Each structure stands twice: as C-alpha cells, then as structure tokens.
Amino acid sequence: MLPDAAGAILGTSRMLRRFDRQGATVWSMRTPSEVTAVHTSRDGRIVVSTQMDGTVRWWRASDGLLLLNLFASID
C-alpha cells in the first residue's frame, strides 16, 4: 500500500504493477524473476522489491523507472 491510500503496488511472478485507488493500472514493469517482497518508502517516492534471483531493486513510484539494482554475492 502506498502512503495516503494513493493506491497499491503488486509483485507477481514476472511483473511489478502499480494501481491507483480505483484499481486502474498506473504502470507495469517486467521483472527478470519472481517478486518476493515489495515495500514503499515512507514518503511514497520509492518502491523497493526483492526478486527470487537474489537481487534488490529500487523503482521510482511515479512511473516505475528502475533506479538501482543490487546483487550481493558471497564471492
């Protein structure tokens, strides 16, 4: 859920989607693997997702632009 009940973010097997308060799709972004968790920043500007492939991704909440991708390895 986004702050101020502005809508919702949903992670699926290969997509990250943002919906407005009426349930209409605001944006939809393809992901390389299953989304395992989604969280929004307190101010609602950033969406953070974790993927089944071990990556953490930061997205801009307004339009779904991928801002940062992190893969941490033991190697």
Coordinates of all heavy atoms in Angstrom, one line a residue:
M1 N 0.8 -1.2 0.0 CA 0.0 0.0 0.0 C 0.9 1.2 0.0 O 1.9 1.3 0.7 CB -0.9 0.0 1.2 CG -1.9 1.1 1.2 SD -3.2 1.0 0.0 CE -4.3 -0.2 0.6
L2 N 0.5 2.2 -0.7 CA 1.2 3.5 -0.8 C 0.7 4.4 0.3 O -0.4 4.3 0.7 CB 1.0 4.1 -2.2 CG 1.7 3.4 -3.3 CD1 1.2 3.9 -4.6 CD2 3.2 3.5 -3.2
P3 N 1.5 5.4 0.7 CA 1.1 6.3 1.7 C -0.2 7.1 1.3 O -0.4 7.3 0.1 CB 2.3 7.3 1.9 CG 3.4 6.5 1.4 CD 2.9 5.6 0.3
D4 N -1.0 7.5 2.2 CA -2.2 8.3 2.0 C -3.2 7.5 1.1 O -4.0 8.1 0.4 CB -1.9 9.6 1.3 CG -1.0 10.5 2.1 OD1 -1.1 10.4 3.4 OD2 -0.1 11.2 1.6
A5 N -3.1 6.2 1.1 CA -4.1 5.4 0.4 C -4.1 5.8 -1.1 O -5.2 5.8 -1.7 CB -5.5 5.4 1.0
A6 N -2.9 6.1 -1.7 CA -2.9 6.5 -3.1 C -3.0 5.4 -4.1 O -3.0 5.6 -5.3 CB -1.6 7.3 -3.3
G7 N -3.0 4.2 -3.6 CA -3.1 3.0 -4.5 C -2.3 1.9 -3.9 O -2.1 1.8 -2.6
A8 N -1.9 0.9 -4.7 CA -1.2 -0.2 -4.2 C -0.1 -0.7 -5.2 O -0.2 -0.4 -6.4 CB -2.1 -1.4 -4.0
I9 N 0.9 -1.4 -4.7 CA 2.0 -2.0 -5.6 C 1.8 -3.5 -5.4 O 1.7 -4.0 -4.3 CB 3.4 -1.5 -5.1 CG1 3.5 0.0 -5.1 CG2 4.4 -2.2 -6.0 CD1 3.6 0.6 -6.5
L10 N 1.8 -4.2 -6.5 CA 1.7 -5.6 -6.5 C 2.9 -6.3 -7.3 O 3.2 -5.9 -8.4 CB 0.4 -6.0 -7.2 CG 0.1 -7.5 -7.3 CD1 -0.1 -8.2 -6.0 CD2 -1.1 -7.8 -8.2
G11 N 3.5 -7.2 -6.6 CA 4.6 -8.0 -7.3 C 4.0 -9.4 -7.6 O 3.4 -10.0 -6.8
T12 N 4.3 -9.8 -8.8 CA 3.8 -11.1 -9.3 C 5.1 -12.0 -9.8 O 6.2 -11.6 -9.5 CB 2.8 -11.0 -10.5 OG1 3.5 -10.4 -11.6 CG2 1.7 -10.1 -10.1
S13 N 4.8 -13.0 -10.5 CA 5.9 -13.9 -10.9 C 6.9 -13.2 -11.9 O 8.0 -13.6 -11.9 CB 5.3 -15.2 -11.5 OG 4.6 -14.9 -12.7
R14 N 6.4 -12.3 -12.7 CA 7.3 -11.6 -13.6 C 7.0 -10.1 -13.8 O 7.5 -9.5 -14.7 CB 7.3 -12.3 -15.0 CG 7.8 -13.7 -15.0 CD 9.3 -13.7 -15.0 NE 9.8 -15.0 -15.0 CZ 11.1 -15.4 -15.1 NH1 12.0 -14.4 -15.2 NH2 11.4 -16.6 -15.0
M15 N 6.2 -9.6 -12.9 CA 5.8 -8.2 -13.1 C 5.7 -7.4 -11.7 O 5.5 -8.1 -10.7 CB 4.4 -8.1 -13.7 CG 4.2 -8.7 -15.1 SD 5.1 -7.8 -16.3 CE 4.0 -6.4 -16.6
L16 N 5.9 -6.1 -11.8 CA 5.7 -5.3 -10.7 C 4.7 -4.2 -11.2 O 4.9 -3.6 -12.2 CB 7.0 -4.6 -10.2 CG 6.9 -3.7 -9.0 CD1 6.6 -4.6 -7.8 CD2 8.2 -3.0 -8.8
R17 N 3.6 -4.1 -10.5 CA 2.5 -3.2 -11.0 C 2.0 -2.2 -9.9 O 2.0 -2.6 -8.8 CB 1.3 -4.1 -11.4 CG 1.6 -5.0 -12.6 CD 0.4 -5.8 -12.9 NE 0.8 -6.8 -13.9 CZ 0.0 -7.1 -14.9 NH1 -1.2 -6.6 -15.0 NH2 0.5 -8.0 -15.8
R18 N 1.7 -1.0 -10.4 CA 1.1 0.0 -9.5 C -0.3 0.2 -10.0 O -0.6 0.4 -11.2 CB 1.9 1.3 -9.6 CG 1.3 2.3 -8.7 CD 2.0 3.6 -8.6 NE 1.3 4.5 -7.8 CZ 1.7 5.7 -7.5 NH1 2.8 6.2 -7.9 NH2 0.9 6.5 -6.7
F19 N -1.2 0.3 -9.0 CA -2.6 0.5 -9.2 C -3.0 1.8 -8.5 O -2.5 2.1 -7.4 CB -3.5 -0.6 -8.7 CG -3.2 -1.9 -9.4 CD1 -2.3 -2.8 -8.9 CD2 -3.8 -2.2 -10.7 CE1 -2.0 -4.0 -9.5 CE2 -3.5 -3.4 -11.3 CZ -2.6 -4.3 -10.7
D20 N -4.0 2.5 -9.1 CA -4.5 3.7 -8.4 C -5.6 3.3 -7.4 O -5.9 2.1 -7.3 CB -4.9 4.8 -9.3 CG -6.1 4.4 -10.2 OD1 -6.8 3.4 -9.9 OD2 -6.3 5.1 -11.2
R21 N -6.2 4.3 -6.8 CA -7.3 4.0 -5.8 C -8.5 3.3 -6.4 O -9.2 2.6 -5.7 CB -7.7 5.3 -5.1 CG -6.6 5.8 -4.2 CD -6.9 7.1 -3.6 NE -8.2 7.1 -2.9 CZ -8.7 8.1 -2.2 NH1 -8.1 9.2 -2.2 NH2 -9.8 7.9 -1.5
Q22 N -8.7 3.5 -7.7 CA -9.9 2.9 -8.3 C -9.5 1.5 -8.9 O -10.4 0.8 -9.5 CB -10.4 3.8 -9.4 CG -11.1 5.0 -9.0 CD -10.2 6.1 -8.4 OE1 -9.0 6.2 -8.9 NE2 -10.6 6.8 -7.4
G23 N -8.3 1.1 -8.8 CA -7.9 -0.2 -9.3 C -7.4 -0.2 -10.7 O -7.0 -1.3 -11.3
A24 N -7.2 0.9 -11.3 CA -6.7 1.0 -12.7 C -5.2 1.0 -12.6 O -4.5 1.5 -11.7 CB -7.1 2.3 -13.3
T25 N -4.6 0.3 -13.6 CA -3.1 0.2 -13.7 C -2.5 1.5 -14.0 O -2.8 2.2 -15.0 CB -2.7 -0.8 -14.8 OG1 -3.3 -2.1 -14.4 CG2 -1.2 -1.0 -14.8
V26 N -1.5 2.0 -13.2 CA -0.8 3.2 -13.4 C 0.4 2.9 -14.2 O 0.7 3.6 -15.2 CB -0.4 3.9 -12.1 CG1 0.5 5.1 -12.3 CG2 -1.6 4.2 -11.2
W27 N 1.2 1.9 -13.8 CA 2.3 1.4 -14.6 C 2.5 -0.1 -14.3 O 2.0 -0.6 -13.3 CB 3.6 2.2 -14.4 CG 4.0 2.4 -13.0 CD1 3.9 3.5 -12.3 CD2 4.7 1.5 -12.2 NE1 4.4 3.4 -11.1 CE2 5.0 2.2 -11.0 CE3 5.2 0.2 -12.3 CZ2 5.7 1.5 -9.9 CZ3 5.9 -0.4 -11.3 CH2 6.1 0.3 -10.1
S28 N 3.2 -0.8 -15.2 CA 3.5 -2.2 -15.1 C 4.9 -2.4 -15.7 O 5.2 -2.0 -16.8 CB 2.5 -3.0 -15.9 OG 2.8 -4.3 -15.8
M29 N 5.8 -3.0 -14.9 CA 7.2 -3.2 -15.3 C 7.5 -4.7 -15.2 O 7.2 -5.4 -14.2 CB 8.2 -2.5 -14.4 CG 7.9 -1.0 -14.4 SD 8.1 -0.2 -16.0 CE 9.8 -0.3 -16.3
R30 N 8.1 -5.2 -16.2 CA 8.6 -6.6 -16.3 C 9.8 -6.8 -15.4 O 10.7 -5.9 -15.3 CB 8.9 -7.0 -17.7 CG 9.3 -8.5 -17.8 CD 9.3 -9.0 -19.2 NE 8.0 -9.3 -19.8 CZ 7.2 -10.3 -19.4 NH1 7.6 -11.0 -18.4 NH2 6.1 -10.5 -20.0
T31 N 9.8 -7.9 -14.6 CA 11.0 -8.2 -13.8 C 11.6 -9.5 -14.3 O 10.9 -10.3 -14.9 CB 10.6 -8.4 -12.3 OG1 9.6 -9.4 -12.2 CG2 10.0 -7.1 -11.7
P32 N 12.9 -9.7 -14.0 CA 13.6 -10.9 -14.5 C 13.2 -12.2 -13.8 O 13.5 -13.3 -14.3 CB 15.1 -10.6 -14.4 CG 15.1 -9.6 -13.2 CD 13.8 -8.8 -13.3
S33 N 12.7 -12.1 -12.6 CA 12.3 -13.2 -11.8 C 11.2 -12.9 -10.9 O 10.7 -11.7 -10.9 CB 13.5 -13.8 -11.0 OG 13.9 -12.9 -10.1
E34 N 10.7 -13.9 -10.2 CA 9.5 -13.6 -9.3 C 9.8 -12.6 -8.2 O 10.9 -12.6 -7.6 CB 9.2 -15.0 -8.6 CG 8.0 -14.9 -7.7 CD 7.6 -16.2 -7.1 OE1 8.1 -17.3 -7.6 OE2 6.8 -16.2 -6.2
V35 N 8.9 -11.7 -8.0 CA 9.0 -10.7 -6.9 C 8.6 -11.4 -5.6 O 7.5 -12.0 -5.5 CB 8.1 -9.5 -7.2 CG1 8.1 -8.5 -6.1 CG2 8.4 -8.8 -8.5
T36 N 9.5 -11.3 -4.6 CA 9.2 -12.0 -3.4 C 8.8 -11.0 -2.3 O 8.1 -11.5 -1.3 CB 10.5 -12.7 -2.9 OG1 11.6 -11.8 -2.8 CG2 10.9 -13.8 -3.8
A37 N 9.1 -9.7 -2.4 CA 8.6 -8.7 -1.4 C 8.6 -7.4 -2.1 O 9.4 -7.1 -3.0 CB 9.6 -8.7 -0.2
V38 N 7.7 -6.5 -1.6 CA 7.6 -5.1 -2.1 C 7.4 -4.2 -0.9 O 6.7 -4.6 0.1 CB 6.4 -5.0 -3.0 CG1 6.3 -3.5 -3.4 CG2 6.5 -5.9 -4.2
H39 N 8.1 -3.1 -0.9 CA 8.0 -2.1 0.2 C 8.1 -0.7 -0.4 O 8.8 -0.5 -1.3 CB 9.1 -2.3 1.3 CG 8.9 -1.4 2.5 ND1 7.9 -1.7 3.4 CD2 9.5 -0.3 2.9 CE1 8.0 -0.8 4.3 NE2 8.9 0.1 4.0
T40 N 7.4 0.2 0.1 CA 7.5 1.6 -0.3 C 8.1 2.5 0.7 O 8.0 2.2 1.9 CB 6.1 2.2 -0.7 OG1 5.3 2.1 0.5 CG2 5.4 1.5 -1.8
S41 N 8.8 3.5 0.3 CA 9.4 4.4 1.2 C 8.3 5.2 2.0 O 7.2 5.3 1.5 CB 10.4 5.4 0.5 OG 9.6 6.2 -0.4
R42 N 8.7 5.8 3.1 CA 7.7 6.5 3.9 C 7.0 7.6 3.2 O 5.9 7.9 3.3 CB 8.4 7.0 5.2 CG 7.4 7.5 6.2 CD 8.1 7.9 7.5 NE 8.7 6.7 8.1 CZ 8.8 6.5 9.3 NH1 8.4 7.4 10.2 NH2 9.3 5.3 9.8
D43 N 7.8 8.3 2.3 CA 7.2 9.4 1.6 C 6.6 9.0 0.3 O 6.0 9.8 -0.4 CB 8.3 10.5 1.3 CG 9.4 9.9 0.4 OD1 9.4 8.8 -0.1 OD2 10.4 10.7 0.2
G44 N 6.6 7.7 -0.1 CA 5.9 7.2 -1.2 C 6.6 7.4 -2.6 O 6.0 7.1 -3.6
R45 N 7.8 7.9 -2.5 CA 8.5 8.2 -3.8 C 9.3 7.0 -4.4 O 9.5 6.9 -5.6 CB 9.5 9.3 -3.6 CG 8.7 10.6 -3.3 CD 9.7 11.8 -3.0 NE 10.9 11.7 -3.7 CZ 12.0 12.3 -3.4 NH1 12.0 13.1 -2.3 NH2 13.1 12.2 -4.1
I46 N 9.7 6.0 -3.5 CA 10.5 4.9 -3.9 C 9.8 3.6 -3.6 O 9.2 3.4 -2.5 CB 11.9 4.9 -3.3 CG1 12.6 6.2 -3.5 CG2 12.7 3.7 -3.7 CD1 13.0 6.5 -5.0
V47 N 9.9 2.6 -4.5 CA 9.4 1.2 -4.3 C 10.6 0.3 -4.2 O 11.5 0.4 -5.1 CB 8.4 0.8 -5.4 CG1 8.0 -0.7 -5.2 CG2 7.2 1.7 -5.4
V48 N 10.8 -0.5 -3.2 CA 11.9 -1.5 -3.2 C 11.3 -2.9 -3.3 O 10.3 -3.2 -2.6 CB 12.6 -1.3 -1.8 CG1 13.8 -2.3 -1.8 CG2 13.1 0.1 -1.6
S49 N 11.9 -3.7 -4.2 CA 11.4 -5.0 -4.3 C 12.6 -6.0 -4.2 O 13.7 -5.6 -4.6 CB 10.7 -5.2 -5.7 OG 11.6 -5.1 -6.8
T50 N 12.3 -7.2 -3.8 CA 13.3 -8.3 -3.8 C 12.8 -9.3 -4.8 O 11.6 -9.5 -4.9 CB 13.5 -8.9 -2.4 OG1 12.3 -9.4 -1.9 CG2 14.1 -7.9 -1.4
Q51 N 13.8 -9.9 -5.5 CA 13.4 -10.9 -6.5 C 14.0 -12.2 -6.1 O 14.9 -12.3 -5.4 CB 14.0 -10.5 -7.9 CG 14.0 -9.1 -8.4 CD 12.7 -8.4 -8.2 OE1 12.7 -7.3 -7.7 NE2 11.6 -8.9 -8.7
M52 N 13.4 -13.3 -6.7 CA 13.8 -14.6 -6.4 C 15.3 -14.9 -6.9 O 15.9 -15.8 -6.4 CB 12.9 -15.6 -7.1 CG 13.1 -17.0 -6.7 SD 12.7 -17.3 -5.0 CE 11.0 -17.8 -5.2
D53 N 15.8 -14.1 -7.8 CA 17.1 -14.2 -8.3 C 18.2 -13.7 -7.4 O 19.4 -13.7 -7.7 CB 17.3 -13.7 -9.7 CG 17.1 -12.2 -9.8 OD1 16.9 -11.5 -8.7 OD2 17.2 -11.6 -10.9
G54 N 17.8 -13.1 -6.2 CA 18.7 -12.6 -5.2 C 19.0 -11.1 -5.4 O 19.9 -10.6 -4.7
T55 N 18.3 -10.4 -6.2 CA 18.5 -9.0 -6.4 C 17.5 -8.2 -5.5 O 16.4 -8.7 -5.2 CB 18.4 -8.6 -7.8 OG1 17.1 -8.9 -8.3 CG2 19.4 -9.3 -8.7
V56 N 18.0 -7.0 -5.2 CA 17.1 -6.0 -4.6 C 17.0 -4.8 -5.6 O 18.1 -4.4 -6.1 CB 17.7 -5.5 -3.3 CG1 16.8 -4.4 -2.7 CG2 17.9 -6.6 -2.3
R57 N 15.8 -4.3 -5.9 CA 15.7 -3.3 -6.9 C 14.9 -2.1 -6.3 O 14.0 -2.3 -5.6 CB 14.9 -3.9 -8.1 CG 15.7 -4.9 -8.8 CD 14.9 -5.6 -9.9 NE 15.7 -6.8 -10.4 CZ 16.4 -6.8 -11.5 NH1 16.4 -5.7 -12.2 NH2 17.0 -7.8 -11.9
W58 N 15.4 -0.9 -6.7 CA 14.7 0.3 -6.3 C 14.1 0.9 -7.5 O 14.7 1.1 -8.6 CB 15.7 1.3 -5.7 CG 16.2 0.9 -4.3 CD1 15.8 1.5 -3.2 CD2 17.2 0.0 -4.0 NE1 16.4 0.9 -2.1 CE2 17.3 0.0 -2.6 CE3 18.0 -0.9 -4.7 CZ2 18.2 -0.8 -1.9 CZ3 18.9 -1.7 -4.0 CH2 19.0 -1.6 -2.6
W59 N 12.8 1.3 -7.4 CA 12.0 1.8 -8.5 C 11.4 3.2 -8.2 O 11.1 3.4 -7.0 CB 10.8 0.9 -8.8 CG 11.1 -0.6 -8.9 CD1 11.3 -1.5 -7.9 CD2 11.3 -1.3 -10.1 NE1 11.6 -2.7 -8.4 CE2 11.6 -2.7 -9.8 CE3 11.3 -1.0 -11.5 CZ2 11.8 -3.7 -10.7 CZ3 11.5 -2.0 -12.4 CH2 11.8 -3.3 -12.0
R60 N 11.3 4.0 -9.1 CA 10.6 5.3 -8.9 C 9.1 5.0 -8.9 O 8.5 4.5 -9.9 CB 10.9 6.3 -10.0 CG 10.5 7.7 -9.7 CD 11.1 8.8 -10.5 NE 11.0 8.4 -11.9 CZ 11.8 9.0 -12.9 NH1 12.7 9.8 -12.5 NH2 11.6 8.7 -14.1
A61 N 8.4 5.4 -7.8 CA 7.0 5.1 -7.6 C 6.1 5.8 -8.7 O 5.0 5.3 -9.0 CB 6.5 5.4 -6.2
S62 N 6.5 6.9 -9.1 CA 5.6 7.7 -10.0 C 5.4 7.1 -11.4 O 4.3 7.1 -12.0 CB 6.1 9.1 -10.2 OG 7.4 9.1 -10.7
D63 N 6.5 6.4 -11.9 CA 6.4 5.9 -13.3 C 7.0 4.5 -13.4 O 7.1 4.0 -14.5 CB 7.0 6.9 -14.3 CG 8.5 7.1 -14.0 OD1 9.1 6.5 -13.1 OD2 9.1 8.0 -14.7
G64 N 7.6 3.9 -12.4 CA 8.1 2.6 -12.4 C 9.5 2.5 -13.0 O 10.0 1.4 -13.3
L65 N 10.2 3.6 -13.2 CA 11.6 3.6 -13.7 C 12.5 2.9 -12.7 O 12.5 3.2 -11.5 CB 12.1 5.0 -13.9 CG 13.5 5.1 -14.4 CD1 13.6 4.6 -15.9 CD2 14.0 6.5 -14.3
L66 N 13.3 1.9 -13.2 CA 14.3 1.2 -12.4 C 15.4 2.2 -12.1 O 16.1 2.7 -13.0 CB 14.8 0.0 -13.1 CG 15.8 -0.9 -12.3 CD1 15.2 -1.4 -11.0 CD2 16.3 -2.0 -13.2
L67 N 15.7 2.4 -10.8 CA 16.7 3.4 -10.4 C 18.0 2.7 -10.0 O 19.1 3.2 -10.3 CB 16.2 4.2 -9.1 CG 15.0 5.0 -9.4 CD1 14.5 5.6 -8.0 CD2 15.2 6.1 -10.4
L68 N 17.9 1.5 -9.3 CA 19.1 0.8 -8.9 C 18.8 -0.7 -8.7 O 17.7 -1.1 -8.4 CB 19.5 1.4 -7.5 CG 20.7 0.8 -6.8 CD1 22.0 1.2 -7.6 CD2 20.8 1.3 -5.4
N69 N 19.8 -1.5 -9.0 CA 19.7 -2.9 -8.9 C 20.9 -3.4 -8.2 O 22.1 -3.1 -8.5 CB 19.7 -3.5 -10.4 CG 19.5 -5.0 -10.4 OD1 19.1 -5.6 -9.4 ND2 19.9 -5.6 -11.5
L70 N 20.7 -4.2 -7.1 CA 21.8 -4.7 -6.3 C 21.8 -6.2 -6.2 O 20.8 -6.8 -6.0 CB 21.7 -4.1 -4.9 CG 22.6 -4.7 -3.8 CD1 24.1 -4.3 -4.1 CD2 22.2 -4.4 -2.4
F71 N 23.0 -6.8 -6.5 CA 23.2 -8.2 -6.3 C 24.4 -8.4 -5.5 O 25.5 -8.0 -5.9 CB 23.3 -9.0 -7.7 CG 23.6 -10.4 -7.5 CD1 22.6 -11.3 -7.1 CD2 24.9 -10.9 -7.7 CE1 22.8 -12.6 -7.0 CE2 25.1 -12.3 -7.5 CZ 24.1 -13.1 -7.2
A72 N 24.2 -8.9 -4.3 CA 25.3 -9.1 -3.4 C 25.7 -10.6 -3.4 O 24.8 -11.5 -3.3 CB 25.0 -8.7 -2.0
S73 N 27.0 -10.9 -3.5 CA 27.4 -12.3 -3.6 C 28.5 -12.6 -2.6 O 29.2 -11.7 -2.2 CB 28.0 -12.5 -5.0 OG 28.6 -13.8 -5.1
I74 N 28.5 -13.8 -2.1 CA 29.5 -14.2 -1.1 C 30.9 -14.2 -1.7 O 31.9 -13.9 -1.0 CB 29.2 -15.6 -0.5 CG1 27.9 -15.5 0.3 CG2 30.3 -16.1 0.3 CD1 27.4 -16.8 0.8
D75 N 31.0 -14.4 -3.0 CA 32.3 -14.4 -3.7 C 32.8 -13.0 -3.6 O 33.9 -12.7 -3.8 CB 32.1 -14.9 -5.1 CG 31.6 -16.3 -5.2 OD1 31.8 -17.0 -4.2 OD2 31.1 -16.7 -6.2

